[in-house]
Amino acid sequence: MKLGRQKRHWSAGRGMNPTRAVALSFGAMIALGTLALLLPVMSRRSGSFFLSLFTATSATCVTGFTLTDTLDQWTLGGQAVILLLVQLGALGFMMAYSLVLLLLRREIIFSQRVVLASALGLKNTGGVLRLVRHGLLGTLLFEGLGTLLLALRFVPRFGLGRGLWYSLFHAVSSFCNGGFALVEMEDYVGDPYVLLIHMGLAITGGLGFIVWEDILRARCWRKLSLYSRLAIGGTVVLLVLGWVYFTTMEWDNPGTLGALNPGERILAGLFQSANLRTAGFAVFPQGEMTESAQVVSMLFMLVGGCSGSTACGIKVVTVVVLGAALVSGLLGREEVVVDGWTIPQRQVRNAMTLTMVVIFAALIAALVMAHIEGGSFLPLFFESVAAIGTVGLSTGITEGLSFASHCVLLVLMYLGRVGILAFSLAFLTKKTVGDKIKYPSCELLIG
């Protein structure tokens, strides 16, 4: 009997399409969130179907784009729906569903493990349940700790009930890289306590469950897997480079850092670097940055966090692989080598393909919005990159865009969270097949 049940589970796993399951689960969450936000008790003032749809999509895709102020538009119930969508969107529906099964002591069958492994970027189901358990426990731990720490600042200012709710909302939103806020982060530009907590939560969530599990296993840098070393090292390098760049280039800009004292400028530069991938909080107006700083911001937003994390983007290790491929090409090497390991050419091609698809999608969307809106192209390109990178930062033009451009951003948010994940799953599940027909080779002039 047990063997027969295992066979049925295996059969279900073989027939399971992980890409479709992930896409449908996110679509279902967006639909249910939209219906919930349409209820009269969820809004302080009249809204529309599209406002609810846009907000539900932004929350589920952990973007943070809003067409209206979250605190002014939504009641406590509406804010709770948004926070739930952010939490589910960051963890993924299957991880949340697995939590329910684990709490009920129900068996997670093989087909469900297949989807879980795929959603977390794993090639097989070995150890996936342990990873899920530790990931869920870690999420509860970090979000709970963040809530308690933020409560020390928010409760004295807003009162017990409101302060605790604001603390919970911001802890979850930061850890999930959601970008939704109930307070103006610019008001805390001189408060390192609040900003460092937000940064710590966003970075921790952006490292991902796979890295956490590896740290628990290895407990030593040398024993970490190559992926974890590249993820952690790449995150630190990007954080420091962004910190130095934005602090230096925006130091005297009166619209951003120039109006702050030296200590606040240094802290704000670090906060900008940390939140570009992909938390989406800001302590100064993004539209006031110089054009060069906006372009660099877009590059950071495209990178995002790490695989199997609450952050999106093309991922840190993907950029590391692309950088290693560039170095190998410049040196005339046939193989791409990273830290003494050869990266398969298939993975290098996958990294290049994913990156080009994301860049072209953002570029085409920006061109479409430019045709619709007219005006300067750079702010629209910034919006499209922030949408597909699920960052949610804006130069201040989001609310003033037309309905058609809002639809473009909505599609980009879904593609940024679900499309990139589905694209990555396709790489994992696709088998390498040799060409049936061999064509003659031809040397071309390059450059």
Side-chain angles (χ1 to χ4, degrees):
M1 179 65 69
K2 184 176 180 181
L3 180 60
R5 184 170 65 251
Q6 288 179 343
K7 288 182 177 179
R8 286 196 298 271
H9 294 171
W10 173 253
S11 179
R14 287 189 302 176
M16 173 70 64
N17 186 324
T19 303
R20 185 181 303 169
V22 170
L24 289 177
S25 66
F26 275 90
M29 284 191 287
I30 292 172
L32 292 175
T34 301
L35 294 176
L37 292 176
L38 279 172
L39 297 174
V41 295
M42 299 298 180
S43 300
R44 301 184 191 276
R45 54 176 184 262
S46 61
S48 64
F49 172 79
F50 186 77
L51 174 62
S52 299
L53 175 62
F54 191 93
T55 304
T57 303
S58 180
T60 305
C61 299
V62 290
T63 305
F65 264 140
T66 58
L67 300 181
T68 183
D69 185 81
T70 302
L71 184 61
D72 292 339
Q73 176 67 39
W74 307 105
T75 63
L76 179 62
Q79 295 166 21
V81 170
I82 291 173
L83 192 64
L84 178 61
L85 291 175
V86 168
Q87 184 75 86
L88 292 176
L91 294 178
F93 174 77
M94 283 305 300
M95 279 198 69
Y97 178 65
S98 300
L99 172 62
V100 175
L101 294 180
L102 290 172
L103 291 176
L104 295 176
R105 299 182 181 276
R106 298 285 296 276
E107 180 186 6
I108 299 178
I109 63 176
F110 183 78
S111 61
Q112 295 167 339
R113 299 187 190 194
V114 170
V115 178
L116 274 172
S118 299
L120 292 171
L122 302 176
K123 293 184 177 180
N124 54 65
T125 59
V128 66
L129 292 186
R130 182 178 66 254
L131 179 62
V132 169
R133 289 193 189 96
H134 291 168
L136 293 172
L137 287 174
T139 298
L140 181 64
L141 172 64
F142 288 119
E143 290 179 349
L145 180 60
T147 300
L148 292 176
L149 292 176
L150 287 174
L152 297 178
R153 182 70 82 241
F154 287 163
V155 168
R157 178 173 180 179
F158 300 107
L160 181 60
R162 212 166 137 206
L164 286 176
W165 172 243
Y166 283 13
S167 301
L168 174 63
F169 191 98
H170 278 255
V172 174
S173 185
S174 295
F175 179 80
C176 295
N177 286 259
F180 283 87
L182 299 179
V183 300
E184 292 291 338
M185 295 305 300
E186 293 183 21
D187 296 340
Y188 293 88
V189 67
D191 191 339
Y193 180 84
V194 171
L195 296 190
L196 288 174
I197 292 173
H198 278 79
M199 283 187 286
L201 289 171
I203 293 171
T204 303
L207 283 175
F209 312 117
I210 300 172
V211 175
W212 300 356
E213 184 69 16
D214 203 22
I215 292 174
L216 287 174
R217 177 195 60 81
R219 302 178 185 274
C220 174
W221 175 261
R222 290 179 298 177
K223 295 181 180 179
L224 290 174
S225 66
L226 176 63
Y227 169 79
S228 295
R229 294 200 303 271
L230 294 180
I232 297 172
T235 298
V236 172
V237 169
L238 288 172
L239 180 65
V240 173
L241 288 178
W243 182 16
V244 173
Y245 177 85
F246 290 109
T247 303
T248 303
M249 301 305 293
E250 295 292 312
W251 186 267
D252 295 322
N253 185 347
T256 56
L257 302 183
L260 308 176
N261 64 49
E264 292 174 345
R265 297 181 195 185
I266 294 173
L267 180 61
L270 176 61
F271 192 81
Q272 174 76 1
S273 177
N275 281 270
L276 283 171
R277 302 172 309 101
T278 58
F281 296 107
V283 289
F284 56 76
Q286 301 298 291
E288 297 295 327
M289 289 190 297
T290 61
E291 290 189 350
S292 59
Q294 290 184 29
V295 172
V296 173
S297 295
M298 287 188 279
L299 295 177
F300 276 80
M301 288 191 290
L302 284 172
V303 175
C306 301
S307 300
S309 73
T310 62
C312 300
I314 62 175
K315 304 298 187 294
V316 172
V317 175
T318 301
V319 175
V320 174
V321 171
L322 291 176
L326 175 62
V327 172
S328 296
L330 292 175
L331 297 177
R333 296 174 178 171
E334 292 186 0
E335 295 183 339
V336 177
V337 179
V338 177
D339 196 22
W341 292 84
T342 300
I343 308 300
Q345 288 298 320
R346 176 180 58 84
Q347 290 196 319
V348 176
R349 290 194 302 269
N350 292 346
M352 292 180 178
T353 303
L354 175 62
T355 303
M356 295 304 297
V357 167
V358 171
I359 292 175
F360 275 116
L363 179 60
I364 292 172
L367 291 173
V368 171
M369 289 193 293
H371 177 73
I372 297 171
E373 306 291 338
S376 178
F377 174 77
L378 185 60
L380 294 171
F381 194 26
F382 191 98
E383 296 284 313
S384 67
V385 170
I388 201 168
T390 71
V391 183
L393 288 175
S394 172
T395 56
I397 66 173
T398 306
E399 294 183 23
L401 295 176
S402 65
F403 173 76
S405 292
H406 286 157
C407 290
V408 172
L409 292 178
L410 189 147
V411 172
L412 283 176
M413 288 189 291
Y414 187 79
L415 289 177
R417 178 56 177 158
V418 183
I420 292 179
L421 178 58
F423 208 74
S424 301
L425 294 184
F427 287 149
L428 285 174
T429 56
K430 184 173 67 174
K431 296 181 180 179
T432 303
V433 180
D435 295 330
K436 294 182 179 180
I437 301 176
K438 296 292 185 180
Y439 296 93
S441 61
C442 176
E443 294 287 338
L444 299 176
L445 296 176
I446 303 298

